[in-house]
């Protein structure tokens, strides 16, 4: 896929977003999927995303506006100039460098529009696919919270990674 873009989430994205909850291969990698996640809760999440200044959630789409996934900056702290990054891609789009392109766009937005100094993330230690992506992209491991999450019957470590503005080398403008 050559081009992706980011746009506000739409209610019509819900049917595709449900895949993250209903597909075991995807949902096993997230903490939020431990609890029932109803369609009504997704509608509320989408509606709140339209006006929330402390969390930005964008749909990742192709050139025909087909929903591919969601990329976010959460818990935006304008005083300490940091935010938490999150991304989820529909399985049928895995392996197409979409996460790379969407991460470029959201980090550019965070560092250049929001003037953040640090963008961090946390990931379950058994989510090897995601960890490999984060390391390859350039996120640096900052620490591990041992046995931090009780996840599907066992305790799992939570790993923390960060990317700093000084390490971000995309100087051209990246359009959402």
């Amino acid at each position: 896929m050559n081009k992706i873009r980011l746009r506000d989430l739409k209610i019509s994205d819900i049917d595709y977003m449900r895949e993250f909850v209903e597909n075991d291969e995807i949902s096993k990698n997230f903490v939020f999927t431990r609890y029932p996640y109803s369609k009504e809760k997704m509608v509320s999440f989408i509606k709140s995303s339209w006006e929330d200044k402390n969390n930005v959630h964008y749909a990742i789409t192709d050139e025909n506006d087909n929903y591919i996934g969601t990329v976010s900056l959460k818990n935006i702290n304008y005083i300490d100039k940091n935010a938490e990054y999150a991304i989820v891609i529909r399985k049928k789009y895995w392996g197409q460098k979409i996460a790379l392109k969407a991460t470029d766009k959201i980090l550019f937005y965070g560092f250049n529009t929001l003037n953040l100094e640090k963008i961090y993330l946390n990931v379950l230690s058994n989510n090897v696919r995601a960890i490999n992506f984060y390391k390859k992209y350039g996120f640096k491991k900052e620490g591990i919270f041992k046995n931090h999450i009780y996840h599907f019957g066992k305790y799992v470590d939570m790993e923390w990674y960060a990317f700093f503005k000084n390490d971000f080398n995309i100087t051209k403008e990246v359009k959402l």
Side-chain angles (χ1 to χ4, degrees), residues 30-41:
F30 299 106
V31 174
F32 78 89
T33 58
R34 297 181 298 173
Y35 312 102
Y37 209 85
S38 67
K39 190 171 184 175
E40 293 77 20
K41 193 171 183 178

Side-chain angles (χ1 to χ4, degrees), residues 72-73 81-85 106-111 116-121 139 161-165:
S72 306
L73 291 176
K81 297 188 177 200
N82 62 53
E84 179 182 352
Y85 159 93
I106 200 74
L107 266 59
F108 184 89
Y109 177 76
F111 292 135
L116 300 175
E117 289 296 319
K118 176 181 179 178
I119 296 175
Y120 63 91
L121 65 91
F139 282 90
Y161 291 80
F163 205 104
F164 292 88
K165 185 175 191 172

Side-chain angles (χ1 to χ4, degrees), residues 45-158:
F45 169 78
I46 290 170
K47 286 181 178 180
S48 70
S49 76
W50 298 336
E51 297 181 22
D52 190 345
K53 300 300 180 213
N54 295 316
N55 300 285
V56 293
H57 305 284
Y58 290 113
I60 305 164
T61 68
D62 63 15
E63 52 276 349
N64 297 317
D65 201 42
N66 295 309
Y67 177 85
I68 295 170
T70 302
V71 65
S72 306
L73 291 176
K74 308 183 298 183
N75 306 310
I76 300 168
N77 183 319
Y78 294 99
I79 295 170
D80 297 325
K81 297 188 177 200
N82 62 53
E84 179 182 352
Y85 159 93
I87 190 167
V88 61
I89 304 288
R90 294 176 59 203
K91 187 174 180 199
K92 76 181 214 171
Y93 293 101
W94 288 4
Q96 299 181 38
K97 300 193 184 297
I98 292 168
L100 175 74
K101 294 172 186 176
T103 301
D104 281 347
K105 289 177 181 289
I106 200 74
L107 266 59
F108 184 89
Y109 177 76
F111 292 135
N112 293 290
T113 302
L114 300 179
N115 197 30
L116 300 175
E117 289 296 319
K118 176 181 179 178
I119 296 175
Y120 63 91
L121 65 91
N122 61 61
V123 59
L124 296 170
S125 62
N126 56 2
N127 190 349
V128 176
R129 180 182 178 85
I131 290 169
N132 287 339
F133 169 73
Y134 301 141
K135 287 179 178 177
K136 186 175 180 181
Y137 190 88
F139 282 90
K140 302 289 186 240
K141 188 178 205 176
E142 291 200 314
I144 300 174
F145 286 12
K146 292 294 202 178
N147 292 332
H148 192 66
I149 301 291
Y150 190 73
H151 195 255
F152 295 102
K154 66 179 183 175
Y155 283 96
V156 180
D157 297 345
M158 182 69 75

Side-chain angles (χ1 to χ4, degrees), residues 7-18 38-50 57 59 65 67 70:
R7 62 152 167 82
D8 289 338
L9 292 168
K10 298 177 183 176
I11 301 297
S12 60
D13 296 330
I14 286 177
D15 290 337
Y16 302 111
M17 293 173 76
R18 299 276 318 145
S38 67
K39 190 171 184 175
E40 293 77 20
K41 193 171 183 178
M42 283 189 176
V43 169
S44 178
F45 169 78
I46 290 170
K47 286 181 178 180
S48 70
S49 76
W50 298 336
H57 305 284
D65 201 42
Y67 177 85
T70 302

